[in-house]
Amino acid sequence: VQLQASGGGLVQPGGSLRLSCVVAGLRLGDYAIGWFRQFPGKEREGREGVVCSSASDEITYYQDSVKGRFTISRDNARNTLHLQMTNLKPEDTGVYYCAAGLNVPDWRLLLHREYDYWGQGTQVTVSS
C-alpha cells in the first residue's frame, strides 16, 4: 500500500492550497480518510487530526481551528483524497500527512493511532 501526498508549498497568509493524496494498493472507499498535521520538532505522536471523514463520508470531523476554511474530499474512482485549504494562517504551518484507516470508529476519527496507512507528508508554510 502506498499513499503519495503532494500540493504543499509556501503561501502568504490568506492564500489557498489544495493537497492531494493518491492511494495505491487498497480500495479507498472502504477506508476512513484523514489529513493530519505534524508541527516542527514533534514526532509522529504529535500529529493532530486536522480533518477526517468516515468511510461512508457520512461523518466528517474538523479541528476547530480549520472549520470553515478547510474541506476534505475524496474520489473513490481515482483512489484519491484532497484537502482544500483556504484563508491560510501562519499557525497552519506544518507537515501534512494523508492517512487511511479501516474500521475507524466515528468518535475516534481524529486520532492518528486509528489509521493504518500514511503518506510521506507534504510541507505547508504560511508566511509573508
Side-chain angles (χ1 to χ4, degrees):
V1 176
Q2 287 188 327
L3 285 72
Q4 183 71 38
S6 62
L10 173 63
V11 63
Q12 291 186 342
S16 299
L17 283 174
R18 187 177 190 237
L19 307 184
S20 296
C21 180
V22 179
V23 181
L26 57 80
R27 192 170 72 173
L28 192 61
D30 293 337
Y31 286 74
I33 57 173
W35 288 94
F36 293 78
R37 178 168 58 207
Q38 185 165 322
F39 293 105
K42 296 290 187 181
E43 299 298 324
R44 180 171 176 168
E45 288 298 312
R47 290 183 188 175
E48 61 173 14
V50 176
V51 54
C52 303
S53 185
S54 63
S56 66
D57 288 331
E58 291 182 352
I59 302 294
T60 300
Y61 286 122
Y62 290 86
Q63 188 186 93
D64 287 345
S65 65
V66 307
K67 286 180 181 178
R69 300 189 297 120
F70 290 12
T71 304
I72 192 172
S73 63
R74 74 164 90 201
D75 184 338
N76 288 334
R78 297 175 183 266
N79 250 28
T80 303
L81 60 147
H82 303 282
L83 179 65
Q84 180 67 48
M85 312 164 73
T86 62
N87 190 23
L88 281 159
K89 303 177 181 181
E91 53 264 40
D92 296 321
T93 294
V95 180
Y96 284 72
Y97 294 84
C98 56
L102 190 63
N103 298 324
V104 179
D106 291 345
W107 59 92
R108 295 179 68 83
L109 280 168
L110 287 176
L111 299 180
H112 68 85
R113 295 181 183 86
E114 294 293 332
Y115 290 78
D116 306 295
Y117 303 105
W118 292 84
Q120 85 285 9
T122 185
Q123 175 71 44
V124 172
T125 303
V126 185
S127 176
S128 55

